Amino acid sequence: MVTDIVVILCTAAPVEASSMAQALVEQRIAACVNIVPVQSTYRWKGELCNDPEHLMIVKTTQAGADRAVAAIRAMHSAELPEIIVLPVIAGHAPYLDWVRHETGVS
């Protein structure tokens, strides 16, 4: 059974991920953002790139997903940022309730 909670994956430059995460939580757009250093390999404008980035794992609600995507896009420096919204199909009920509470849903 799918819940009303979503996880948003977004990579960002190491220098901007922390401030983006803090803004999302302070504005109650997200309940929590985990930041994990990653190495990203991709092709951009015909060139092979291999860059250090930070992966932000953003927890919010489906109702807040559009707002989160818009906020991330507004803060992000990349021309085409990775922003992927994934449904949470199940989870620890008290944690999911906490996400709802922190984002103003409950």
Side-chain angles (χ1 to χ4, degrees):
M1 173 185 239
V2 176
T3 72
D4 63 331
I5 305 299
V6 298
V7 170
I8 300 174
L9 303 178
C10 176
T11 53
V15 298
E16 68 184 356
S18 182
S19 62
M20 291 172 64
Q22 186 162 338
L24 291 169
V25 174
E26 282 180 347
Q27 296 172 35
R28 293 194 175 273
I29 295 170
C32 175
V33 180
N34 304 110
I35 300 172
V36 182
V38 296
Q39 190 72 26
S40 296
T41 302
Y42 56 97
R43 188 176 312 280
W44 180 246
K45 296 187 177 182
E47 292 188 30
L48 187 61
C49 302
N50 191 1
D51 297 319
E53 295 185 297
H54 281 176
L55 173 64
M56 296 185 299
I57 306 167
V58 181
K59 276 75 76 173
T60 191
T61 62
Q62 180 63 47
D66 288 344
R67 183 174 173 219
V69 169
I72 291 167
R73 184 65 197 108
M75 293 184 280
H76 210 291
S77 64
E79 181 181 341
L80 181 63
E82 172 189 349
I83 306 171
I84 300 171
V85 180
L86 303 171
V88 173
I89 60 169
H92 183 52
Y95 180 81
L96 301 179
D97 289 342
W98 174 79
V99 171
R100 289 181 197 97
H101 175 76
E102 289 301 311
T103 56
V105 173
S106 64

Coordinates of all heavy atoms in Angstrom, one line a residue:
M1 N 0.8 -1.2 0.0 CA 0.0 0.0 0.0 C 0.9 1.2 0.0 O 1.8 1.4 0.8 CB -0.9 0.0 1.2 CG -1.7 1.3 1.4 SD -2.6 1.3 2.9 CE -4.2 1.5 2.2
V2 N 0.6 2.1 -0.9 CA 1.4 3.4 -1.0 C 0.9 4.3 0.0 O -0.2 4.5 0.3 CB 1.2 4.0 -2.5 CG1 1.9 5.3 -2.6 CG2 1.8 3.0 -3.5
T3 N 1.9 5.0 0.7 CA 1.6 6.0 1.7 C 1.5 7.4 1.0 O 1.7 7.5 -0.2 CB 2.7 6.1 2.8 OG1 3.8 6.7 2.2 CG2 2.9 4.7 3.3
D4 N 1.3 8.5 1.8 CA 1.3 9.8 1.3 C 2.7 10.5 1.4 O 2.8 11.7 1.3 CB 0.2 10.7 1.9 CG 0.4 10.8 3.4 OD1 1.0 9.9 4.0 OD2 0.0 11.8 4.0
I5 N 3.7 9.7 1.8 CA 5.0 10.2 2.0 C 5.8 9.9 0.7 O 5.6 8.9 0.0 CB 5.7 9.5 3.2 CG1 4.8 9.6 4.4 CG2 7.1 10.0 3.4 CD1 4.6 11.0 4.9
V6 N 6.7 10.8 0.3 CA 7.6 10.7 -0.8 C 9.0 10.9 -0.4 O 9.3 11.6 0.6 CB 7.2 11.6 -2.0 CG1 5.8 11.2 -2.5 CG2 7.3 13.0 -1.6
V7 N 9.9 10.4 -1.1 CA 11.4 10.7 -1.0 C 11.8 11.4 -2.3 O 11.5 10.9 -3.4 CB 12.2 9.4 -0.7 CG1 13.7 9.7 -0.8 CG2 11.8 8.8 0.6
I8 N 12.5 12.5 -2.1 CA 13.0 13.2 -3.3 C 14.5 13.0 -3.3 O 15.2 13.3 -2.3 CB 12.6 14.7 -3.3 CG1 11.1 14.8 -3.3 CG2 13.2 15.4 -4.5 CD1 10.6 16.2 -3.1
L9 N 15.1 12.5 -4.4 CA 16.5 12.4 -4.6 C 17.0 13.6 -5.4 O 16.4 13.9 -6.5 CB 16.9 11.1 -5.3 CG 16.4 9.8 -4.6 CD1 16.8 8.6 -5.5 CD2 16.9 9.7 -3.2
C10 N 18.0 14.2 -5.0 CA 18.6 15.4 -5.7 C 20.1 15.5 -5.4 O 20.5 15.5 -4.3 CB 17.9 16.7 -5.2 SG 18.6 18.2 -6.0
T11 N 20.9 15.5 -6.5 CA 22.3 15.7 -6.3 C 22.6 17.2 -6.4 O 21.9 18.0 -7.2 CB 23.1 15.0 -7.3 OG1 22.6 15.3 -8.7 CG2 23.0 13.5 -7.1
A12 N 23.6 17.7 -5.7 CA 24.0 19.1 -5.7 C 25.5 19.2 -5.5 O 26.1 18.3 -5.0 CB 23.2 19.9 -4.7
A13 N 26.0 20.3 -5.8 CA 27.4 20.6 -5.5 C 27.6 20.5 -4.0 O 26.8 21.0 -3.3 CB 27.8 22.0 -6.1
P14 N 28.8 20.0 -3.6 CA 29.0 19.9 -2.1 C 28.8 21.3 -1.4 O 28.4 21.3 -0.3 CB 30.4 19.4 -2.1 CG 30.6 18.6 -3.3 CD 29.8 19.3 -4.4
V15 N 29.2 22.4 -2.1 CA 29.1 23.7 -1.4 C 27.7 24.2 -1.2 O 27.5 25.1 -0.4 CB 29.9 24.7 -2.1 CG1 31.4 24.4 -2.2 CG2 29.4 25.0 -3.6
E16 N 26.7 23.6 -1.9 CA 25.4 24.1 -1.8 C 24.4 23.2 -1.1 O 23.3 23.6 -0.7 CB 24.8 24.6 -3.2 CG 24.6 23.5 -4.2 CD 24.1 24.0 -5.5 OE1 23.9 25.2 -5.7 OE2 24.0 23.2 -6.4
A17 N 24.7 21.9 -1.0 CA 23.7 20.9 -0.5 C 23.3 21.2 0.9 O 22.1 21.2 1.2 CB 24.3 19.5 -0.6
S18 N 24.2 21.6 1.8 CA 23.9 21.8 3.2 C 22.9 23.0 3.4 O 21.9 22.9 4.1 CB 25.1 22.1 4.0 OG 24.8 22.3 5.4
S19 N 23.2 24.1 2.7 CA 22.3 25.3 2.8 C 20.9 25.0 2.2 O 19.9 25.4 2.7 CB 22.9 26.5 2.1 OG 23.1 26.3 0.8
M20 N 20.9 24.2 1.1 CA 19.6 23.8 0.5 C 18.8 22.9 1.5 O 17.6 23.2 1.7 CB 19.8 23.1 -0.8 CG 20.4 23.9 -1.9 SD 20.8 23.0 -3.4 CE 19.3 22.4 -3.9
A21 N 19.5 22.0 2.1 CA 18.8 21.1 3.0 C 18.2 21.9 4.2 O 17.1 21.7 4.6 CB 19.8 20.0 3.5
Q22 N 19.0 22.8 4.7 CA 18.6 23.6 5.9 C 17.4 24.4 5.5 O 16.4 24.5 6.3 CB 19.7 24.4 6.4 CG 19.4 25.2 7.7 CD 20.6 25.7 8.4 OE1 21.7 25.2 8.3 NE2 20.3 26.7 9.2
A23 N 17.4 25.0 4.4 CA 16.2 25.8 4.0 C 15.0 25.0 3.8 O 13.9 25.4 4.2 CB 16.6 26.5 2.6
L24 N 15.1 23.8 3.3 CA 13.9 22.9 3.1 C 13.3 22.5 4.4 O 12.1 22.5 4.6 CB 14.3 21.7 2.3 CG 14.7 21.9 0.8 CD1 15.3 20.6 0.3 CD2 13.4 22.3 0.0
V25 N 14.2 22.3 5.4 CA 13.7 21.9 6.7 C 13.2 23.1 7.5 O 12.1 23.1 8.1 CB 14.7 21.1 7.5 CG1 14.3 20.9 9.0 CG2 15.1 19.8 6.8
E26 N 13.9 24.2 7.5 CA 13.5 25.4 8.2 C 12.1 25.9 7.7 O 11.3 26.4 8.4 CB 14.5 26.5 8.0 CG 15.7 26.4 8.8 CD 16.7 27.5 8.6 OE1 16.6 28.3 7.7 OE2 17.6 27.6 9.5
Q27 N 11.8 25.8 6.4 CA 10.6 26.2 5.8 C 9.5 25.2 5.9 O 8.4 25.4 5.3 CB 10.8 26.6 4.3 CG 11.7 27.8 4.2 CD 12.1 28.1 2.7 OE1 11.3 27.9 1.8 NE2 13.3 28.5 2.5
R28 N 9.8 24.0 6.5 CA 8.8 22.9 6.7 C 8.4 22.3 5.4 O 7.3 21.8 5.3 CB 7.7 23.3 7.6 CG 8.1 23.6 9.0 CD 6.8 23.6 9.9 NE 7.2 23.8 11.3 CZ 7.5 22.7 12.1 NH1 7.5 21.5 11.7 NH2 7.8 23.0 13.4
I29 N 9.2 22.5 4.4 CA 9.0 21.8 3.1 C 9.3 20.4 3.2 O 8.7 19.5 2.6 CB 9.8 22.5 2.0 CG1 9.3 24.0 1.8 CG2 9.7 21.8 0.7 CD1 10.1 24.8 0.9
A30 N 10.4 20.1 4.0 CA 10.8 18.7 4.2 C 10.9 18.5 5.7 O 11.2 19.4 6.5 CB 12.2 18.5 3.6
A31 N 10.7 17.2 6.1 CA 10.8 16.9 7.6 C 12.3 16.6 7.9 O 12.8 16.9 9.0 CB 10.0 15.6 7.9
C32 N 13.0 16.1 6.9 CA 14.4 15.7 7.1 C 15.1 15.6 5.7 O 14.5 15.2 4.7 CB 14.4 14.3 7.8 SG 16.1 13.6 8.0
V33 N 16.4 15.9 5.7 CA 17.2 15.8 4.5 C 18.5 15.1 4.9 O 19.2 15.7 5.8 CB 17.5 17.1 3.8 CG1 18.3 16.9 2.6 CG2 16.2 17.9 3.5
N34 N 18.8 14.0 4.3 CA 20.1 13.3 4.5 C 21.0 13.8 3.4 O 20.5 13.9 2.3 CB 20.0 11.8 4.5 CG 19.0 11.3 5.5 OD1 17.9 10.8 5.2 ND2 19.3 11.4 6.8
I35 N 22.3 14.0 3.7 CA 23.2 14.4 2.7 C 24.4 13.3 2.7 O 25.0 13.1 3.7 CB 23.8 15.8 3.0 CG1 22.7 16.8 3.0 CG2 24.9 16.1 2.0 CD1 23.1 18.2 3.4
V36 N 24.6 12.8 1.5 CA 25.6 11.7 1.4 C 26.5 12.1 0.2 O 26.1 12.4 -0.9 CB 24.9 10.4 1.0 CG1 25.9 9.2 0.9 CG2 23.8 10.0 2.0
P37 N 27.8 12.1 0.5 CA 28.8 12.3 -0.6 C 28.7 11.2 -1.7 O 28.7 10.0 -1.3 CB 30.1 12.4 0.0 CG 30.0 12.1 1.5 CD 28.5 11.9 1.7
V38 N 28.7 11.5 -2.9 CA 28.7 10.6 -4.0 C 29.6 11.0 -5.1 O 30.0 12.2 -5.2 CB 27.3 10.3 -4.6 CG1 26.3 9.7 -3.5 CG2 26.7 11.6 -5.2
Q39 N 30.0 10.1 -6.0 CA 30.7 10.4 -7.2 C 29.8 10.2 -8.4 O 29.3 9.0 -8.5 CB 32.0 9.6 -7.3 CG 32.9 10.0 -8.4 CD 33.7 11.2 -8.1 OE1 33.8 11.6 -6.9 NE2 34.1 12.0 -9.1
S40 N 29.5 11.2 -9.2 CA 28.5 11.0 -10.3 C 29.2 11.0 -11.6 O 30.0 11.8 -11.9 CB 27.5 12.2 -10.3 OG 26.7 12.1 -9.1
T41 N 28.9 10.0 -12.4 CA 29.4 9.9 -13.8 C 28.2 10.0 -14.7 O 27.2 9.3 -14.6 CB 30.1 8.5 -14.0 OG1 31.1 8.4 -13.0 CG2 30.7 8.4 -15.4
Y42 N 28.3 10.9 -15.7 CA 27.2 11.2 -16.6 C 27.7 11.9 -17.8 O 28.9 12.4 -17.8 CB 26.1 12.1 -15.9 CG 26.7 13.4 -15.3 CD1 26.6 14.6 -16.1 CD2 27.3 13.4 -14.1 CE1 27.1 15.8 -15.6 CE2 27.8 14.6 -13.6 CZ 27.7 15.8 -14.4 OH 28.3 17.0 -13.9
R43 N 26.9 12.0 -18.9 CA 27.3 12.7 -20.1 C 26.4 14.0 -20.1 O 25.2 14.0 -19.8 CB 26.9 11.9 -21.3 CG 27.4 12.5 -22.6 CD 27.2 11.6 -23.8 NE 27.6 10.2 -23.6 CZ 28.8 9.7 -23.7 NH1 29.8 10.5 -24.0 NH2 29.1 8.4 -23.5
W44 N 27.1 15.1 -20.3 CA 26.4 16.4 -20.4 C 27.0 17.2 -21.5 O 28.2 17.4 -21.6 CB 26.6 17.2 -19.0 CG 26.0 18.5 -19.0 CD1 26.6 19.7 -19.0 CD2 24.6 18.8 -19.1 NE1 25.6 20.7 -19.0 CE2 24.4 20.1 -19.1 CE3 23.4 17.9 -19.2 CZ2 23.1 20.7 -19.1 CZ3 22.2 18.5 -19.2 CH2 22.0 19.9 -19.1
K45 N 26.1 17.6 -22.4 CA 26.4 18.3 -23.6 C 27.6 17.7 -24.4 O 28.5 18.4 -24.8 CB 26.7 19.8 -23.2 CG 25.5 20.5 -22.7 CD 25.7 22.0 -22.4 CE 24.4 22.6 -21.9 NZ 24.6 24.0 -21.7
G46 N 27.5 16.4 -24.5 CA 28.4 15.6 -25.3 C 29.7 15.3 -24.6 O 30.6 14.6 -25.2
E47 N 29.9 15.7 -23.4 CA 31.1 15.4 -22.7 C 30.9 14.4 -21.5 O 29.8 14.6 -20.8 CB 31.8 16.7 -22.1 CG 32.3 17.6 -23.2 CD 33.1 18.8 -22.6 OE1 33.7 18.6 -21.5 OE2 33.0 19.8 -23.2
L48 N 31.8 13.5 -21.3 CA 31.7 12.6 -20.2 C 32.2 13.3 -18.9 O 33.3 13.9 -18.9 CB 32.6 11.4 -20.4 CG 32.4 10.2 -19.4 CD1 31.0 9.7 -19.3 CD2 33.4 9.1 -19.7
C49 N 31.4 13.3 -17.9 CA 31.7 14.1 -16.6 C 31.8 13.0 -15.5 O 31.1 12.0 -15.5 CB 30.6 15.1 -16.3 SG 30.3 16.3 -17.6
N50 N 32.6 13.3 -14.5 CA 32.8 12.5 -13.4 C 33.1 13.5 -12.2 O 34.2 13.9 -12.0 CB 34.0 11.5 -13.6 CG 34.1 10.5 -12.5 OD1 33.3 10.4 -11.6 ND2 35.1 9.6 -12.6
D51 N 32.0 13.8 -11.5 CA 32.1 14.9 -10.5 C 31.7 14.4 -9.1 O 30.8 13.6 -8.9 CB 31.2 16.0 -10.9 CG 31.5 16.7 -12.2 OD1 32.7 16.9 -12.4 OD2 30.6 16.9 -13.0
P52 N 32.4 15.0 -8.1 CA 31.9 14.8 -6.7 C 30.7 15.6 -6.5 O 30.6 16.8 -6.9 CB 33.1 15.3 -5.8 CG 33.8 16.2 -6.7 CD 33.6 15.8 -8.1
E53 N 29.7 15.0 -5.9 CA 28.4 15.7 -5.6 C 27.9 15.2 -4.2 O 28.5 14.3 -3.7 CB 27.4 15.4 -6.7 CG 27.7 15.9 -8.0 CD 26.5 15.7 -9.0 OE1 26.2 14.5 -9.3 OE2 26.0 16.7 -9.5
H54 N 26.9 15.9 -3.7 CA 26.2 15.4 -2.6 C 24.8 15.0 -3.0 O 24.1 15.7 -3.7 CB 26.2 16.4 -1.5 CG 27.5 16.6 -0.7 ND1 27.7 17.5 0.2 CD2 28.6 15.9 -0.8 CE1 28.9 17.4 0.7 NE2 29.5 16.4 0.1
L55 N 24.4 13.8 -2.5 CA 23.1 13.3 -2.8 C 22.2 13.7 -1.6 O 22.5 13.4 -0.4 CB 23.0 11.8 -2.9 CG 21.7 11.1 -3.0 CD1 20.9 11.6 -4.3 CD2 21.8 9.6 -3.0
M56 N 21.2 14.5 -1.9 CA 20.2 14.9 -0.8 C 19.0 13.9 -0.9 O 18.5 13.7 -2.0 CB 19.7 16.3 -1.0 CG 20.9 17.3 -0.8 SD 20.3 19.0 -0.9 CE 19.6 19.1 -2.6
I57 N 18.7 13.3 0.2 CA 17.5 12.4 0.3 C 16.5 13.2 1.2 O 16.6 13.3 2.4 CB 17.9 11.1 1.0 CG1 19.1 10.5 0.2 CG2 16.7 10.2 1.0 CD1 19.8 9.3 0.9
V58 N 15.5 13.7 0.5 CA 14.5 14.6 1.1 C 13.2 13.8 1.4 O 12.7 13.2 0.6 CB 14.2 15.8 0.1 CG1 13.2 16.7 0.7 CG2 15.5 16.5 -0.3
K59 N 12.8 13.9 2.7 CA 11.5 13.3 3.1 C 10.4 14.3 3.3 O 10.6 15.3 4.0 CB 11.7 12.5 4.4 CG 12.2 11.1 4.2 CD 13.7 11.1 3.9 CE 14.5 11.3 5.1 NZ 15.9 11.2 5.0
T60 N 9.3 14.1 2.5 CA 8.2 15.1 2.6 C 6.9 14.3 2.3 O 6.9 13.1 2.2 CB 8.4 16.3 1.7 OG1 7.4 17.3 2.0 CG2 8.4 16.0 0.2
T61 N 5.8 15.0 2.1 CA 4.6 14.4 1.7 C 4.3 14.6 0.2 O 4.9 15.5 -0.4 CB 3.4 15.0 2.5 OG1 3.3 16.4 2.2 CG2 3.6 14.8 4.0
Q62 N 3.4 13.7 -0.3 CA 3.0 13.9 -1.7 C 2.4 15.3 -1.9 O 2.7 15.9 -2.9 CB 2.0 12.8 -2.1 CG 1.5 12.9 -3.5 CD 2.6 12.7 -4.5 OE1 3.4 11.7 -4.4 NE2 2.7 13.5 -5.5
A63 N 1.6 15.8 -1.0 CA 1.0 17.1 -1.1 C 2.1 18.2 -1.2 O 1.9 19.2 -1.8 CB 0.1 17.3 0.1
G64 N 3.2 18.0 -0.5 CA 4.3 19.0 -0.5 C 5.4 18.8 -1.6 O 6.3 19.6 -1.7
A65 N 5.2 17.7 -2.4 CA 6.2 17.4 -3.4 C 6.5 18.5 -4.4 O 7.6 18.9 -4.7 CB 5.9 16.1 -4.1
D66 N 5.4 19.1 -5.0 CA 5.6 20.1 -6.0 C 6.2 21.3 -5.4 O 7.1 22.0 -6.0 CB 4.2 20.5 -6.5 CG 3.6 19.5 -7.5 OD1 4.4 18.6 -7.9 OD2 2.4 19.6 -7.7
R67 N 5.9 21.7 -4.1 CA 6.5 22.8 -3.4 C 8.0 22.5 -3.2 O 8.9 23.4 -3.4 CB 5.8 23.1 -2.1 CG 6.4 24.2 -1.4 CD 5.5 24.5 -0.1 NE 6.2 25.6 0.7 CZ 6.2 25.6 2.0 NH1 5.7 24.6 2.7 NH2 6.9 26.5 2.6
A68 N 8.3 21.3 -2.9 CA 9.7 20.9 -2.6 C 10.5 21.0 -3.9 O 11.6 21.5 -4.0 CB 9.8 19.5 -2.0
V69 N 10.0 20.4 -5.0 CA 10.7 20.5 -6.3 C 10.9 21.9 -6.7 O 12.0 22.3 -7.2 CB 9.9 19.7 -7.4 CG1 10.4 19.9 -8.8 CG2 9.9 18.2 -7.0
A70 N 9.9 22.8 -6.6 CA 10.0 24.2 -6.9 C 11.1 24.9 -6.1 O 11.9 25.7 -6.6 CB 8.7 24.9 -6.8
A71 N 11.1 24.6 -4.8 CA 12.1 25.2 -3.9 C 13.5 24.7 -4.3 O 14.5 25.5 -4.3 CB 11.8 24.9 -2.4
I72 N 13.7 23.4 -4.5 CA 15.0 22.9 -4.9 C 15.4 23.6 -6.2 O 16.6 24.0 -6.3 CB 14.9 21.4 -5.0 CG1 14.7 20.7 -3.6 CG2 16.2 20.9 -5.7 CD1 14.4 19.2 -3.7
R73 N 14.6 23.6 -7.1 CA 14.9 24.2 -8.4 C 15.3 25.7 -8.3 O 16.3 26.1 -8.9 CB 13.7 24.1 -9.4 CG 14.0 24.6 -10.8 CD 15.0 23.7 -11.5 NE 15.6 24.4 -12.6 CZ 16.8 24.9 -12.7 NH1 17.6 24.9 -11.7 NH2 17.2 25.5 -13.8
A74 N 14.6 26.4 -7.4 CA 15.0 27.8 -7.2 C 16.3 28.0 -6.6 O 17.0 29.0 -6.8 CB 13.9 28.5 -6.4
M75 N 16.7 27.1 -5.7 CA 18.0 27.2 -5.0 C 19.2 26.6 -5.7 O 20.3 26.9 -5.4 CB 17.9 26.5 -3.6 CG 17.0 27.2 -2.6 SD 17.0 26.4 -1.0 CE 15.9 25.0 -1.3
H76 N 18.9 25.7 -6.7 CA 19.9 24.9 -7.3 C 20.7 25.7 -8.4 O 20.1 26.4 -9.1 CB 19.3 23.6 -7.9 CG 20.2 22.5 -8.0 ND1 21.3 22.4 -8.8 CD2 20.1 21.3 -7.3 CE1 21.9 21.2 -8.6 NE2 21.2 20.5 -7.7
S77 N 22.0 25.5 -8.4 CA 22.8 26.2 -9.4 C 22.9 25.5 -10.8 O 23.3 26.2 -11.7 CB 24.2 26.4 -8.8 OG 24.9 25.2 -8.7
A78 N 22.5 24.3 -10.8 CA 22.7 23.5 -12.1 C 21.6 23.9 -13.1 O 20.5 24.2 -12.8 CB 22.6 22.0 -11.9
E79 N 22.0 23.9 -14.4 CA 21.0 24.2 -15.5 C 19.9 23.1 -15.5 O 18.8 23.4 -15.7 CB 21.8 24.1 -16.8 CG 21.0 24.4 -18.0 CD 21.8 24.4 -19.3 OE1 23.0 24.5 -19.2 OE2 21.1 24.2 -20.3
L80 N 20.3 21.8 -15.2 CA 19.3 20.7 -15.2 C 19.6 19.8 -14.0 O 20.2 18.8 -14.1 CB 19.5 19.9 -16.6 CG 18.5 18.8 -16.7 CD1 17.1 19.2 -16.8 CD2 18.9 18.0 -18.0
P81 N 19.1 20.2 -12.9 CA 19.3 19.4 -11.7 C 18.6 18.1 -11.7 O 17.5 18.0 -12.2 CB 18.9 20.3 -10.5 CG 17.8 21.2 -11.1 CD 18.3 21.4 -12.6
E82 N 19.2 17.1 -11.1 CA 18.5 15.8 -10.8 C 17.6 16.0 -9.7 O 18.0 16.3 -8.6 CB 19.5 14.8 -10.5 CG 18.9 13.5 -10.0 CD 19.9 12.5 -9.5 OE1 21.1 12.7 -9.6 OE2 19.4 11.5 -8.9
I83 N 16.3 15.9 -10.0 CA 15.2 15.9 -8.9 C 14.3 14.8 -9.3 O 13.6 14.9 -10.3 CB 14.5 17.3 -8.9 CG1 15.5 18.4 -8.7 CG2 13.5 17.3 -7.8 CD1 14.9 19.8 -8.9
I84 N 14.2 13.8 -8.4 CA 13.4 12.6 -8.7 C 12.5 12.4 -7.5 O 13.0 12.2 -6.4 CB 14.3 11.4 -9.0 CG1 15.2 11.6 -10.2 CG2 13.4 10.1 -9.1 CD1 16.2 10.5 -10.4
V85 N 11.2 12.3 -7.7 CA 10.3 12.0 -6.6 C 9.9 10.6 -6.6 O 9.3 10.1 -7.6 CB 9.1 13.0 -6.7 CG1 8.1 12.7 -5.5 CG2 9.5 14.4 -6.7
L86 N 10.1 9.9 -5.5 CA 9.7 8.5 -5.4 C 8.7 8.3 -4.3 O 8.8 8.8 -3.2 CB 11.0 7.6 -5.0 CG 12.2 7.8 -6.0 CD1 13.4 7.1 -5.3 CD2 11.8 7.2 -7.3
P87 N 7.6 7.4 -4.6 CA 6.6 7.2 -3.5 C 7.2 6.2 -2.5 O 8.0 5.3 -2.8 CB 5.5 6.5 -4.3 CG 6.2 5.8 -5.5 CD 7.3 6.8 -5.8
V88 N 6.8 6.4 -1.2 CA 7.1 5.5 -0.2 C 6.0 4.5 -0.1 O 4.8 4.9 0.2 CB 7.4 6.2 1.2 CG1 7.5 5.3 2.3 CG2 8.6 7.2 1.1
I89 N 6.2 3.3 -0.3 CA 5.1 2.3 -0.3 C 4.8 1.8 1.1 O 3.7 1.3 1.3 CB 5.4 1.1 -1.3 CG1 6.6 0.4 -0.9 CG2 5.4 1.6 -2.7 CD1 6.8 -0.9 -1.6
A90 N 5.7 1.9 2.0 CA 5.5 1.4 3.4 C 6.6 2.0 4.3 O 7.6 2.4 3.8 CB 5.5 -0.1 3.5
G91 N 6.4 1.9 5.6 CA 7.4 2.4 6.5 C 7.0 2.3 7.9 O 5.8 1.9 8.2
H92 N 7.8 2.7 8.8 CA 7.5 2.7 10.3 C 6.5 3.8 10.5 O 6.8 5.0 10.3 CB 8.9 2.9 11.0 CG 8.7 2.9 12.5 ND1 8.1 1.9 13.2 CD2 9.1 3.8 13.4 CE1 8.2 2.1 14.5 NE2 8.8 3.3 14.6
A93 N 5.3 3.4 10.9 CA 4.2 4.3 11.0 C 4.5 5.6 11.9 O 4.2 6.7 11.5 CB 2.9 3.6 11.5
P94 N 5.1 5.4 13.0 CA 5.4 6.6 13.8 C 6.4 7.6 13.1 O 6.2 8.8 13.2 CB 6.1 6.1 15.1 CG 5.6 4.7 15.2 CD 5.4 4.2 13.8
Y95 N 7.3 7.1 12.3 CA 8.2 7.9 11.5 C 7.4 8.7 10.4 O 7.6 9.9 10.2 CB 9.3 7.1 10.9 CG 10.3 8.0 10.1 CD1 11.2 8.8 10.7 CD2 10.1 8.1 8.7 CE1 12.1 9.6 10.0 CE2 11.0 9.0 8.0 CZ 11.9 9.7 8.6 OH 12.7 10.5 7.9
L96 N 6.5 7.9 9.7 CA 5.7 8.6 8.7 C 4.8 9.6 9.3 O 4.6 10.7 8.7 CB 4.9 7.5 7.9 CG 5.8 6.4 7.3 CD1 4.9 5.4 6.6 CD2 6.8 6.9 6.3
D97 N 4.3 9.4 10.4 CA 3.5 10.4 11.1 C 4.3 11.6 11.5 O 3.8 12.7 11.3 CB 2.9 9.8 12.4 CG 1.8 8.8 12.2 OD1 1.2 8.8 11.1 OD2 1.5 8.0 13.1
W98 N 5.6 11.4 11.9 CA 6.5 12.5 12.2 C 6.7 13.4 10.9 O 6.7 14.6 11.0 CB 7.8 12.0 12.8 CG 8.8 13.0 13.0 CD1 8.9 13.9 14.0 CD2 9.9 13.3 12.1 NE1 10.0 14.7 13.9 CE2 10.6 14.4 12.7 CE3 10.4 12.8 10.9 CZ2 11.7 14.9 12.1 CZ3 11.5 13.3 10.4 CH2 12.2 14.4 11.0
V99 N 6.9 12.7 9.8 CA 7.1 13.5 8.5 C 5.9 14.3 8.3 O 6.0 15.5 7.9 CB 7.4 12.5 7.3 CG1 7.4 13.3 6.0 CG2 8.7 11.8 7.5
R100 N 4.7 13.8 8.4 CA 3.5 14.5 8.2 C 3.4 15.7 9.2 O 3.1 16.8 8.8 CB 2.3 13.6 8.4 CG 2.1 12.6 7.3 CD 0.8 11.8 7.6 NE 0.8 10.6 6.8 CZ 1.2 9.4 7.2 NH1 1.6 9.2 8.4 NH2 1.3 8.4 6.3
H101 N 3.7 15.5 10.4 CA 3.7 16.5 11.4 C 4.7 17.7 11.1 O 4.3 18.8 11.2 CB 4.0 16.0 12.8 CG 4.0 17.0 13.9 ND1 3.0 17.6 14.4 CD2 5.1 17.5 14.5 CE1 3.3 18.5 15.3 NE2 4.7 18.5 15.4
E102 N 5.9 17.3 10.8 CA 6.9 18.3 10.5 C 6.7 19.1 9.3 O 7.2 20.2 9.1 CB 8.3 17.6 10.4 CG 8.8 17.1 11.8 CD 8.9 18.2 12.8 OE1 9.5 19.3 12.5 OE2 8.4 18.1 13.9
T103 N 5.9 18.6 8.3 CA 5.6 19.3 7.1 C 4.2 19.9 7.2 O 3.7 20.4 6.2 CB 5.7 18.4 5.9 OG1 4.9 17.2 6.1 CG2 7.2 17.9 5.7
G104 N 3.6 19.9 8.3 CA 2.3 20.6 8.5 C 1.1 19.9 8.0 O 0.1 20.5 7.8
V105 N 1.2 18.6 7.7 CA 0.1 17.8 7.2 C -0.8 17.3 8.3 O -2.0 17.3 8.1 CB 0.6 16.7 6.3 CG1 -0.6 15.8 5.9 CG2 1.3 17.2 5.1
S106 N -0.3 16.9 9.4 CA -1.1 16.4 10.5 C -1.5 17.4 11.5 O -1.0 18.5 11.6 CB -0.5 15.2 11.2 OG 0.7 15.7 11.9

